[in-house]
Amino acid sequence: MVDGESGSLRSLRELNRGRVIDVLRGRGTASRAEIARATGLSRSTVSTIVSSLIEAGLVSEHEDGTGVAHGRHGGRPPVLLSLDKSAGVALGVDFGHTHLRVAVSDLSHEVLAQASRDLDVDHSAAEGLDSAAKLVDQVLKRAGVGRKRVLGVGMGLPGPINRATGTVGDSSILPGWVGVDAAAEMSKRLQMPVHVENDANLGALAEFVWGSGKGFSDLIYIKLSSGVGAGMLLGGRLYHGTGGTAGEIGHTVVNPSGAICRCGSRGCLETVASARAIAEVLGDSRGEPVSITQLLELARDGDAAAVRLIGEAGREIGVAVANLCNVINPDRVIVGGDMSAAGDLITEPILESIRRYAILSAAEQVSVVPGTLGERAELLGALALVLQPPERFLVSPPRWREVAAA
Ligand SMILES: [Zn+2]
C-alpha cells in the first residue's frame, strides 16, 4: 500500500510525464529546452523525464539539429527529441467534393504513406465510407504498419458537423450524408476511434500547426475550391458554433437578385466567387469548358480575362471577409484550397476590399496570405486532429506551476 503522500507524488510525476509527451505529440520534434518552455517545468525535471522515456523506448533522440535554435551561437545544435516511431501512428481521411485522400503519419509528424482517388462525395455516404476504409487498408500496407498501432483517425467532411450529435447537418450542402453519424459509421468499418471535423476547420488547423498560420491565434482560413468555406480559429481554438455551421462564408448573400445557390438561397458569395464559378464564366467567354486547373494555368500565364475574373472574385470575397474582420478582428486571413495557387492575384484584391470596407483598426491588424500547405492542408489537418487534439489547440500552452517535489 502506498501512503497518501507518495501516491500524490507518483500522480504528479505521471502528470508531468504526460505534459512532456503532449508537447512532443503536438510538435513532432522539440529540444529539451523547448519542452521546458512549453510545459513550464524546469530543465532538470524535463531531463529526468526525457531520460526515463528514452529508457522506456518511447522517445528517440536526433542529432541532426534541424531545430529552429540550431547554431545561433555557433555552438553545437540542440539534440531534438521525438516520440519513437514504434509508439503509434495517426490516420487522416479527407473527403472533398470530388476527391478522397488518406494518409498515415508517425508521431514525429512524418507522413509515411498516402493515397487518393476521385470520388463524388455528394453521392452517397455509405459508398464514400467504404472507399475510405479500402484506402486506409492500402496506406497502412504501404507504410508497413499494423492496425493495432493506429492511435486514432481524423476525418474531414465538406459540410457542417453537429458537435452535439456528431451527425452531418444541412441537407443542401452535403446531400447523401444528412443525419449520418460519420464518425460512428467510419469507426464501425475500421474498428478504430474516429474524430470528424469540417474540412475548412481542418485546413485552418493544419495551417496553424505547420503552415502560414503558425503563431496566429485569431485566424480565418478561407477554402476556395469548388465551393467557398471558412474555418475560424479564435483565441487559439477552432470555433464551431452551436450546430457546426460557423464559417459558412460562401453562403453570405452578395446579390439578393443573383443566381440560385445549391443551399437554396439566392446570390450567395459561392455563386460568383468559387473557383468553379470563375472557371464557368471564363469557359463561357472562350466557348469551351475551362477546368479549375486550366483557369489557374491561364492566370499564371497572364491571360487578361482569367486575371480579371480572379481579381473580381477576390474583391467580392474581400467584402465578406471585411464584414467578418469587423466582427471577430482576426490577425491573419489565409487563402487555401485550389485558389491558393493564384497567390497575390487572389490575396491582393481580398486585402484591397478589407482596407476599403472594414473599420480601420480591424483592417490595419490583419494580413492576407496564401496557405503554404496547398491541396494537402485538409488532409494534414485530419492528422493534426489526432496528433494535437482540439482541447490542446492553444497558441501559448498553459504555464504549469512546478511543484518542487516533482
Ligand atoms: Zn448558398
Side-chain angles (χ1 to χ4, degrees):
M1 266 308 273
V2 287
D3 61 37
E5 194 192 8
S6 61
S8 67
L9 279 181
R10 180 178 302 170
S11 66
L12 183 64
R13 270 190 214 104
E14 272 162 20
L15 193 65
N16 288 341
R17 199 173 143 105
R19 285 176 199 152
V20 171
I21 290 173
D22 282 353
V23 170
L24 287 170
R25 188 163 164 168
R27 297 190 180 199
T29 56
S31 68
R32 286 172 176 81
E34 285 165 343
I35 295 171
R37 268 197 300 278
T39 55
L41 296 169
S42 73
R43 292 284 293 267
S44 64
T45 303
V46 168
S47 285
T48 309
I49 293 171
V50 164
S51 300
S52 75
L53 289 170
I54 290 173
E55 211 167 291
L58 288 170
V59 164
S60 332
E61 284 186 310
H62 310 270
E63 309 262 357
D64 57 5
T66 48
V68 279
H70 150 58
R72 231 186 8 211
H73 307 290
R76 204 159 53 89
V79 175
L80 291 178
L81 305 160
S82 69
L83 291 177
D84 194 79
K85 291 186 192 308
S86 65
V89 297
L91 268 171
V93 176
D94 168 39
F95 284 98
H97 277 290
T98 55
H99 68 260
L100 167 63
R101 295 190 180 97
V102 173
V104 56
S105 94
D106 65 22
L107 297 183
S108 68
H109 296 191
E110 192 188 334
V111 174
L112 304 173
Q114 74 176 56
S116 63
R117 55 161 293 187
D118 291 339
L119 179 82
D120 182 4
V121 73
D122 291 349
H123 187 59
S124 140
E127 203 176 289
L129 291 162
D130 288 343
S131 300
K134 271 187 211 146
L135 272 195
V136 163
D137 283 340
Q138 273 180 31
V139 295
L140 287 177
K141 196 178 274 182
R142 214 175 287 169
V145 173
R147 301 173 71 84
K148 284 202 176 113
R149 282 179 52 205
V150 176
L151 297 172
V153 183
M155 185 161 91
L157 282 171
I161 311 296
N162 187 310
R163 308 264 304 160
T165 61
T167 55
V168 180
D170 200 321
S171 60
S172 48
I173 293 186
L174 199 59
W177 289 73
V178 187
V180 172
D181 186 339
E185 286 293 324
M186 197 63 196
S187 190
K188 209 191 296 172
R189 282 167 173 79
L190 296 175
Q191 296 296 306
M192 296 168 189
V194 178
H195 315 275
V196 178
E197 184 59 87
N198 167 268
D199 65 340
N201 286 353
L202 291 182
L205 176 57
E207 291 289 351
F208 170 67
V209 177
W210 296 295
S212 48
K214 252 185 180 175
F216 291 86
S217 57
D218 295 278
L219 69 85
I220 305 172
Y221 172 87
I222 304 173
K223 188 182 176 192
L224 293 178
S225 291
S226 45
V228 177
M232 295 184 292
L233 206 80
L234 305 182
R237 287 174 187 271
L238 282 178
Y239 182 73
H240 298 92
T242 184
T245 45
E248 290 293 349
I249 194 176
H251 303 282
T252 306
V253 177
V254 293
N255 178 8
S257 54
I260 288 283
C261 177
R262 68 190 165 108
C263 76
S265 185
R266 197 182 265 287
C268 292
L269 179 63
E270 193 171 289
T271 63
V272 295
S274 69
R276 185 190 282 172
I278 308 170
E280 263 171 32
V281 175
L282 189 60
D284 288 347
S285 78
R286 295 169 73 94
E288 58 181 3
V290 171
S291 68
I292 293 173
T293 311
Q294 287 167 325
L295 162 73
L296 291 164
E297 279 167 9
L298 284 164
R300 198 165 37 235
D301 295 344
D303 178 88
V307 169
R308 172 182 294 270
L309 286 169
I310 290 174
E312 286 170 0
R315 279 188 287 278
E316 291 272 19
I317 292 160
V319 174
V321 175
N323 288 323
L324 205 49
C325 284
N326 285 348
V327 178
I328 67 170
N329 191 199
D331 44 5
R332 175 148 280 193
V333 172
I334 298 171
V335 177
D338 295 322
M339 291 301 286
S340 66
D344 290 355
L345 291 180
I346 187 77
T347 56
E348 288 291 331
I350 291 176
L351 190 59
E352 191 187 310
S353 282
I354 293 173
R355 292 212 175 110
R356 184 170 297 182
Y357 300 112
I359 54 174
L360 190 62
S361 61
E364 271 175 347
Q365 287 162 350
V366 70
S367 50
V368 183
V369 298
T372 52
L373 303 174
E375 61 172 25
R376 289 172 81 217
E378 286 74 21
L379 179 60
L380 294 173
L383 290 170
L385 212 51
V386 179
L387 297 167
Q388 196 171 38
E391 60 274 19
R392 295 195 217 116
F393 300 162
L394 286 168
V395 179
S396 322
R399 305 292 297 183
W400 305 92
R401 275 182 76 82
E402 190 183 357
V403 179

